Amino acid sequence: MPTTTWGRVRATAGGYVTLTKPRVIELLLVTTIPTMILAEHGWPGWWLVVATLVGGALAAGSANVLNCYLDRDIDQVMNRTRRRPTATGAISPRAALTFGLVLGVVALTWLWLLVNPVSSLLAASAIVIYVVGYTMILKRRTPQNIVWGGAAGCMPVLIGWSSVTGEVGWPAVLLFGVVFFWTPPHYWPLSMKFRRDYAAAGVPMLPVVAKDTRVAREMIGYTVAMIACSLLLVPAAGMTWVYAVVASGLGAWFLWSCITLLRRAQDPARGKLRAMTVFHASITYLTLLSVAITVDVFLPL
């Protein structure tokens, strides 16, 4: 335990930062900058990029803090989350609720005044979908919780596009589709690894209530839809053959990782599931696809 006042302040501040789930925010923002570049057909300017990223990060942080506040009973049961400050009592429920609400108000005001009202309204929608739709309604009631609740994680692409154009265009909708269909094959492998935690907490994640073979098949279906959205971006946004080749290659690679998971689920003799391999592959896929979008815009073709 910290013994000095400064040490206590640092520990408390660190606890609040932890509640915002910085690593989750980082992954969400990976898709924002490439979308802004695509919308602008070039670099949209440092000020707009920074203003959008700050507002988006604050909004995502607000949603994550409110999620920790509402799920503190679940977090106390699960080994993966039992060290969260709201689960340990290091930060009181009232303090967490206040912090989450203040972050949300600051985020929406920031985006409204410094970016545009459309981006602010989309950020508000993201917070509502994650906090109310996913955390309060879906998470404890249906195995499809992460599918529909995951729509909140798709909103950064719409926010990024609208920050440049003031509206939502078809390329942004397709990028929304990429992230939407990417979410289940990204999150369900993690749920496979921690299925005992979710079962103990009474959260009906699909890997908790269904066989691995069914989960893997659904992951393959979502992955195929994800690849389709990524390739439809070529005609919709005027992407070059470079992006088309990279998107096809990345999609095939990630699809094969899901197929491998299914084959291992069908035949245990092939070895352990290695679900986390698919989880890490999903992060690599989304990151490299975002890089491909960025590079394609600046190609002198």
Side-chain angles (χ1 to χ4, degrees):
M1 294 292 292
T3 56
T4 65
T5 301
W6 175 242
R8 288 193 294 270
V9 170
R10 288 184 61 185
T12 301
Y16 280 105
V17 170
T18 298
L19 292 181
T20 65
K21 305 179 185 177
R23 295 186 67 181
V24 174
I25 294 176
E26 178 184 341
L27 184 60
L28 293 177
L29 297 183
V30 161
T31 59
T32 303
I33 295 179
T35 303
M36 295 180 69
I37 291 173
L38 184 60
E40 182 66 28
H41 298 292
W43 184 246
W46 281 105
W47 166 247
L48 184 59
V49 169
V50 171
T52 304
L53 291 181
V54 170
L58 291 173
S62 168
N64 289 332
V65 172
L66 294 174
N67 168 265
C68 289
Y69 162 75
L70 292 168
D71 277 355
R72 60 191 184 277
D73 59 328
I74 293 176
D75 290 343
Q76 290 172 346
V77 176
M78 298 177 61
N79 290 324
R80 186 171 66 90
T81 58
R82 64 183 180 182
R83 293 183 181 83
R84 285 178 181 167
T86 43
T88 63
I91 293 177
S92 69
R94 181 177 180 179
L97 176 61
T98 302
F99 180 53
L101 292 175
V102 169
L103 273 184
V105 171
V106 171
L108 300 183
T109 303
W110 173 282
L111 288 169
W112 187 284
L113 296 178
L114 300 180
V115 181
N116 60 51
V118 175
S119 296
S120 180
L121 292 174
L122 288 169
S125 300
I127 294 173
V128 171
I129 291 171
Y130 189 67
V131 176
V132 179
Y134 172 67
T135 305
M136 297 179 67
I137 299 176
L138 297 172
K139 185 173 182 177
R140 307 184 192 217
R141 291 178 172 85
T142 171
Q144 297 299 313
N145 47 24
I146 197 63
V147 177
W148 303 108
C154 311
M155 298 302 286
V157 297
L158 301 186
I159 295 170
W161 187 275
S162 67
S163 70
V164 174
T165 66
E167 59 184 13
V168 175
W170 279 112
V173 173
L174 288 171
L175 287 171
F176 180 98
V178 169
V179 182
F180 180 82
F181 292 120
W182 167 88
T183 300
H186 163 68
Y187 199 85
W188 281 337
L190 188 69
S191 301
M192 286 180 172
K193 179 177 177 61
F194 295 104
R195 77 176 81 218
R196 291 183 180 178
D197 274 359
Y198 285 113
V203 179
M205 288 294 179
L206 187 62
V208 174
V209 301
K211 293 182 179 180
D212 290 336
T213 50
R214 178 190 164 186
V215 177
R217 288 193 182 97
E218 291 202 21
M219 287 170 58
I220 290 171
Y222 283 114
T223 299
V224 170
M226 175 195 77
I227 295 170
C229 287
S230 72
L231 295 179
L232 285 172
L233 192 64
V234 176
M239 310 299 285
T240 74
W241 63 268
V242 175
Y243 166 81
V245 170
V246 174
S248 299
L250 286 173
W253 168 70
F254 185 61
L255 178 60
W256 180 250
S257 71
C258 293
I259 292 173
T260 300
L261 183 69
L262 174 60
R263 295 174 71 189
R264 290 177 180 272
Q266 291 174 329
D267 183 7
R270 293 179 181 273
K272 295 181 179 179
L273 280 178
R274 296 181 181 176
M276 290 303 290
T277 299
V278 183
F279 172 78
H280 293 301
S282 69
I283 297 174
T284 302
Y285 168 85
L286 193 62
T287 302
L288 293 182
L289 189 74
S290 298
V291 172
I293 293 171
T294 303
V295 170
D296 196 83
V297 171
F298 291 107
L299 283 175
L301 297 176

